Amino acid sequence: MSDPGSGAERSIGQLVASATAEMSALVHDEIALAKAELRQDVKRGATGAIAFVVAGVFLLFSLPVFSFAAAYGIHNLGLGLAWSFLIVGGAYVVLAALLSLLAIAKFKKVKPPEKSIASAKQTAAVLQNVKPHPRLEKERVPELPAGVERALAER
């Protein structure tokens, strides 16, 4: 910063220029800080997303293992092996049907963005009533000499 005593020697224009430069530097620093924070948040979000994907892959790979374990567990209770696998497969079909019904119920609750549509309609209505800005008569462009017009027309 500058000395407080030197402010009396500076003109108003210099003070305004100094304030503008300092404000510009402040805005640039704020933007740099925001970028750094966003960059850090994006890295954290990407790491979290990758962890979820890896967890999903492991869960998907474990599904056949647990299916075989369930089928052989039912078989050990005295039921035939084919029936055991049919029971496990049927359980998956019932689970898929229940999840599908849940998804359909959630999709039926989805509504259009009414506030955004109303705002867009209001903006369109306002813009339809706006009259264009009156323009002054176009300034007359001086005529070019005949030789220049021919040269431009030949291009």
Side-chain angles (χ1 to χ4, degrees):
M1 285 262 154
S2 59
D3 290 338
S6 68
E9 299 169 4
R10 296 167 64 182
S11 70
I12 292 178
Q14 290 171 335
L15 290 173
V16 170
S18 175
T20 304
E22 289 176 8
M23 194 64 123
S24 176
L26 179 65
V27 168
H28 286 294
D29 290 345
E30 289 291 330
I31 291 172
L33 177 63
K35 283 181 182 180
E37 288 176 347
L38 283 175
R39 195 173 296 123
Q40 187 178 22
D41 288 342
V42 167
K43 285 180 183 178
R44 286 181 186 152
T47 304
I50 290 170
F52 270 126
V53 168
V54 170
V57 168
F58 282 142
L59 185 63
L60 185 65
F61 287 162
S62 70
L63 192 61
V65 173
F66 286 123
S67 298
F68 275 91
Y72 280 109
I74 294 171
H75 177 66
N76 282 337
L77 295 176
L79 205 57
L81 192 58
W83 286 108
S84 299
F85 276 97
L86 275 174
I87 290 171
V88 171
Y92 281 130
V93 169
V94 168
L95 182 62
L98 288 175
L99 289 173
S100 296
L101 290 174
L102 177 69
I104 289 171
K106 293 294 181 183
F107 281 137
K108 285 184 179 180
K109 291 182 181 179
V110 173
K111 296 179 182 176
E114 295 170 0
K115 290 180 182 178
S116 297
I117 292 172
S119 175
K121 286 181 180 178
Q122 183 182 13
T123 302
V126 167
L127 291 177
Q128 285 177 351
N129 296 331
V130 173
K131 295 181 181 177
H133 187 274
R135 302 200 184 269
L136 301 175
E137 286 187 34
K138 292 184 179 178
E139 295 179 14
R140 291 193 147 203
V141 178
E143 293 185 23
L144 296 174
V148 174
E149 283 183 10
R150 272 186 267 142
L152 289 175
E154 290 175 0
R155 284 188 178 183

